[in-house]
Amino acid sequence: MVHVLVTGGSGSGTSTLAEVLAHRLSAVWIEADDYYWKPSDPPFQYKYEASERAERLLQALGNTQRAVVAGSVMGWGDAIETAFDRIIFLYTDTAPRMTRLRARTISLRSSEAGFP
């Protein structure tokens, strides 16, 4: 069983690296945000309780032999924080991170408004 966490600041490239790594390892790619935020329109309005998000993520990890998780799961409880065989921390300078975050925000706003 191989469970890897790719973590770092928003915009540091955790999702990009986790997706590529999951593909190379023939693993499931999991976004921590999908377990943190409840579905809503607009998105990112309501959080799952800490115990519920931890339970949901642990179940997802338990359902696969190989998984790569992108995002921050610190503070979700000991069971989550010790569920990984490897942890990769990405550090990216502030300027590129801010550029990526601005682009992401614009993209999200455009898709919310119905633009492709």
Side-chain angles (χ1 to χ4, degrees):
M1 194 162 22
V2 176
H3 293 144
V4 177
L5 172 64
V6 181
T7 191
S10 294
S12 64
T14 60
S15 295
T16 302
L17 178 59
E19 182 179 18
V20 170
L21 189 56
H23 178 74
R24 295 242 175 124
L25 294 174
S26 299
V28 174
W29 171 40
I30 297 173
E31 278 290 338
D33 277 353
D34 294 341
Y35 294 81
Y36 188 86
W37 296 104
K38 291 182 178 183
S40 63
D41 187 17
F44 313 119
Q45 299 296 307
Y46 309 103
K47 301 173 190 174
Y48 285 103
E49 294 295 325
S51 60
E52 186 176 5
R53 65 180 170 246
E55 182 180 317
R56 292 176 68 239
L57 183 52
L58 283 172
Q59 183 177 14
L61 291 173
N63 288 337
T64 184
Q65 291 291 311
R66 295 173 181 252
V68 180
V69 177
S72 177
V73 297
M74 298 303 109
W76 291 25
D78 289 343
I80 289 291
E81 293 175 9
T82 59
F84 299 97
D85 303 294
R86 299 286 186 269
I87 298 174
I88 300 168
F89 182 84
L90 296 182
Y91 173 83
T92 306
D93 288 333
T94 302
R97 286 183 54 226
M98 293 300 107
T99 299
R100 292 173 186 167
L101 290 172
R102 281 186 203 97
R104 182 187 304 168
T105 300
I106 290 167
S107 175
L108 284 172
R109 287 184 181 160
S110 295
S111 64
E112 288 173 15
F115 300 111

